[in-house]
Amino acid sequence: MTDEDRTLSPRRLEAFSDGVFAIAATLLVLDLSVENLGAITSNDQLWHALGSISGSLLSFVISFLLLCMLWMVHARQFEHIVRVDNTVLWLNSLRLLGVVLIPFTTSLNADFSGLLLGRLVLPLNFLFVLVLGWALWGYVSTRSRGLLDEMSDAAVRSSGRRALGAVIAGLVVVLLAPFIGSWAFLAFAVSPLTSRRS
């Protein structure tokens, strides 16, 4: 059996993954509902009610933007992956497991931000997804496996450094979240800067 017989085109994996990312992003908004605002009869009451759900709004915005970032990483990786094997299928499936948990951990983060575990579940969820993305790239970028296109060695190393930079930023978020909550996700804003310098 040749390597070609043990691998598949990535088309179906990409379609499935895109669907999972799209559904997870859509599910995020379900926690936001006008029913949570109560009876509103004035502008002042509406502003006050919106302020009372500001934690949920912040968690939604952060999770949506970071989910988009995760999808962009996935899309960039699969622009260069021309074949997939069982290991890639499993690594990607585990990564998607983390992705579909993001709406749930976002809700936990918003509703239980006063508790240590409530502040940690979402950062740990993102870290799980980032580690699996980094592991997947490390696996497919081994040239002897023949899973990548003709990407240059420098580009492969650069992508690996960016993936590692995201994992490091994820670790920083996990370490900061107990102290500053969702604001810890700002570490991802500087992650591209630090990975470019390395």
Side-chain angles (χ1 to χ4, degrees):
M1 187 177 250
T2 67
D3 286 342
E4 188 78 11
D5 296 330
R6 288 191 292 264
T7 61
L8 307 165
S9 163
R11 286 189 320 268
R12 294 185 69 194
L13 181 146
E14 290 177 73
F16 176 66
S17 300
D18 286 348
V20 168
F21 274 101
I23 290 169
T26 303
L27 289 176
L28 283 173
V29 79
L30 294 181
D31 272 352
L32 301 178
S33 170
V34 293
E35 293 172 8
N36 297 338
L37 300 178
I40 306 291
T41 58
S42 71
N43 287 328
D44 288 340
Q45 288 177 339
L46 181 56
W47 279 114
H48 181 70
L50 288 172
S52 71
I53 63 165
S54 61
S56 295
L57 285 168
L58 178 64
S59 291
F60 164 74
V61 170
I62 289 170
S63 292
F64 184 82
L65 293 175
L66 291 174
L67 195 55
C68 289
M69 180 197 75
L70 293 173
W71 177 82
M72 286 183 252
V73 168
H74 168 81
R76 281 190 201 105
Q77 285 179 341
F78 277 85
E79 276 299 305
H80 300 286
I81 297 172
V82 293
R83 305 291 296 168
V84 296
D85 61 12
N86 281 341
T87 302
V88 174
L89 293 173
W90 277 109
L91 286 170
N92 193 66
S93 295
L94 288 172
R95 176 166 56 174
L96 293 177
L97 172 65
V99 167
V100 298
L101 284 173
I102 288 172
F104 175 66
T105 57
T106 298
S107 294
L108 286 176
N109 182 264
D111 294 344
F112 299 101
S113 62
L115 302 173
L116 176 62
L117 186 57
R119 290 189 301 271
L120 280 176
V121 289
L122 184 59
L124 287 169
N125 189 173
F126 272 99
L127 181 61
F128 175 78
V129 175
L130 291 169
V131 166
L132 284 163
W134 177 53
L136 187 139
W137 185 254
Y139 180 81
V140 300
S141 63
T142 303
R143 291 285 187 197
S144 61
R145 292 192 175 97
L147 302 175
L148 284 184
D149 62 9
E150 297 302 317
M151 192 178 188
S152 72
D153 289 340
V156 169
R157 285 191 301 275
S158 176
S159 292
R161 282 193 302 269
R162 281 194 303 274
L164 179 58
V167 170
I168 291 168
L171 284 169
V172 169
V173 170
V174 169
L175 293 173
L176 292 177
F179 307 104
I180 61 174
S182 295
W183 296 106
F185 283 103
L186 289 174
F188 286 109
V190 298
S191 174
L193 300 174
T194 55
S195 64
R196 279 192 191 126
R197 286 187 189 155
S198 65

